[in-house]
Amino acid sequence: MNNITLTEVADRLRKSENIILISHTSPDGDTVGAVTALAVGLKNAGKKVTALCDSDIPDYLRFICEGLYRKDSDEEGLIVSVDVASSQMLGKLEEKFGNRVGIRIDHHASGTDFAKYNYCVPDAAACCEIIYELLVGMDLMNSVSAGALYLGLSTDSGSFRYSCTTPKTLRIAADLIEAGADSEDINERLYENLTVDSLRADCFFLDKMERYMDGSVLIVPISIADRTAAGLTDEQLEGFSTLARKISGVRLGISLREKEPGIYKVSMRSRKSVDCAAICAALGGGGHIRAAGATIKASCIGEAKKLLIDTVTEQIGERE
């Protein structure tokens, strides 16, 4: 439940000289775009800004935030989490910052109010929509921030194809282009940069995919040993759940990736008849109706896969 308005968020940012912005672990375009845009705007206003994320920034996003992020900091100041649904999503930064977050800015309906002040807009297609309104309201919009926000809007809305895309989303995208976002360059970098390694990853996907529930559910289970043997990085497997959903007849696409021994990351993408957030909530995670995630602890990938399949079967069966 919101206990602060966006105007009050802006006031607290204006009154703070040192600001620490934190993205969620395993960062995507929305959290990176939102933090980058806000950091640039605040720096232009004379603020000292530190941007943190416990994970490496994916290669495909580095062009928008080059040199911005650090993995830890001992700086003191107003701590703001951006696009972080729960304190667990801070990853390795949770222990140090989880109970110190002053403001949470988010758009996950399944999120938890772990910060002192929480501002969440579940109807927003991306957290970048909220940061857009914040920067415009503070008169801090600029071409660099506009580009970062456009990137976040595009990635979280599936290049404006997903059901979360609203007329407001498209109007904001148009405003960002008018403010200087180079949509052609951003779209080319995001969607027209296939490499030989990415094609190898697609072949690996075909080899590992498994169908369930008459082909309507597709799971791609990947152990560290599988990935290592294929000569692929974990980052190259990041989009497998989205790729799975694109296959005709698939209602729910899932990637199950071993991140470290005994720890498995679940990523889900669905068509409109399946609620990813509800399934992931049953696994201790969360997210959006069409895109969500969770973390499973298991002794082996077979055990993790069984827990996942049982949960999916139970959740989808309850809704049909």
Side-chain angles (χ1 to χ4, degrees):
M1 180 180 296
N2 290 346
N3 60 354
I4 191 171
T5 67
L6 196 60
T7 299
E8 290 169 337
V9 171
D11 288 342
R12 291 183 179 276
L13 291 172
R14 289 191 187 97
K15 293 174 181 176
S16 301
E17 292 304 316
N18 296 326
I19 300 166
I20 298 99
L21 305 177
I22 308 183
S23 283
H24 63 69
T25 188
S26 300
D28 60 7
D30 190 23
T31 193
V32 170
V35 164
T36 300
L38 186 54
V40 171
L42 292 171
K43 285 181 178 182
N44 288 347
K47 307 296 184 182
K48 182 178 181 180
V49 182
T50 302
L52 300 179
C53 183
D54 82 324
S55 310
D56 291 333
I57 304 302
D59 287 343
Y60 77 99
L61 296 175
R62 287 179 188 165
F63 76 96
I64 208 73
C65 63
E66 197 66 48
L68 175 66
Y69 278 94
R70 296 160 60 180
K71 289 194 173 180
D72 196 7
S73 174
D74 292 320
E75 294 284 347
E76 295 293 332
L78 175 63
I79 300 171
V80 182
S81 67
V82 183
D83 195 39
V84 181
S86 66
S87 62
Q88 290 86 351
M89 288 302 294
L90 296 173
K92 296 175 183 176
L93 295 174
E94 181 186 13
E95 182 176 353
K96 186 172 185 177
F97 294 98
N99 61 357
R100 296 170 52 201
V101 176
I103 301 174
R104 165 180 158 253
I105 303 173
D106 191 26
H107 73 128
H108 294 91
S110 62
T112 59
D113 295 336
F114 65 90
K116 181 176 181 180
Y117 296 104
N118 296 273
Y119 184 78
C120 181
V121 184
D123 291 338
C127 203
C128 282
E129 282 194 10
I130 304 169
I131 301 303
Y132 162 82
E133 294 186 335
L134 180 61
L135 289 177
V136 169
M138 297 178 71
D139 196 25
L140 295 179
M141 185 57 70
N142 60 85
S143 61
V144 176
S145 292
L149 292 174
Y150 182 91
L151 177 146
L153 275 184
S154 180
T155 53
D156 239 33
S157 67
S159 193
F160 308 102
R161 294 179 294 113
Y162 297 165
S163 60
C164 63
T165 305
T166 65
K168 181 180 179 180
T169 307
L170 298 175
R171 283 193 290 268
I172 290 175
D175 288 347
L176 293 172
I177 293 172
E178 288 185 340
D182 188 340
S183 58
E184 180 180 7
D185 178 65
I186 293 168
N187 287 327
E188 182 175 328
R189 288 173 180 267
L190 290 176
Y191 307 118
E192 298 180 5
N193 256 332
L194 276 178
T195 64
V196 172
D197 282 343
S198 66
L199 293 174
R200 286 178 53 240
D202 287 349
C203 293
F204 180 72
F205 167 91
L206 291 172
D207 183 56
K208 301 301 296 183
M209 69 180 191
E210 300 177 4
R211 289 177 177 265
Y212 297 90
M213 300 181 72
D214 296 324
S216 65
V217 175
L218 194 150
I219 299 176
V220 189
I222 305 161
S223 67
I224 293 174
D226 291 334
R227 174 171 58 78
T228 302
L232 298 170
T233 65
D234 189 60
E235 182 183 326
Q236 290 171 314
L237 314 179
E238 190 68 38
F240 275 12
S241 58
T242 300
L243 183 59
R245 180 183 55 184
K246 291 181 179 180
I247 296 174
S248 178
V250 173
R251 299 161 56 203
L252 177 63
I254 308 172
S255 67
L256 176 66
R257 306 190 335 256
E258 185 179 17
K259 300 291 286 185
E260 55 186 85
I263 305 296
Y264 298 85
K265 180 181 178 182
V266 177
S267 296
M268 293 187 185
R269 300 294 184 269
S270 71
R271 299 183 190 270
K272 62 184 180 180
S273 59
V274 178
D275 186 343
C276 290
I279 299 171
C280 286
L283 292 166
H288 305 290
I289 293 175
R290 302 290 166 253
T295 298
I296 292 176
K297 294 182 180 180
S299 61
C300 64
I301 196 162
E303 181 184 335
K305 185 171 68 173
K306 183 180 186 307
L307 174 60
L308 177 60
I309 294 169
D310 288 348
T311 303
V312 168
T313 302
E314 178 181 350
Q315 291 292 315
I316 291 182
E318 286 179 355
R319 288 163 174 76
E320 292 185 338

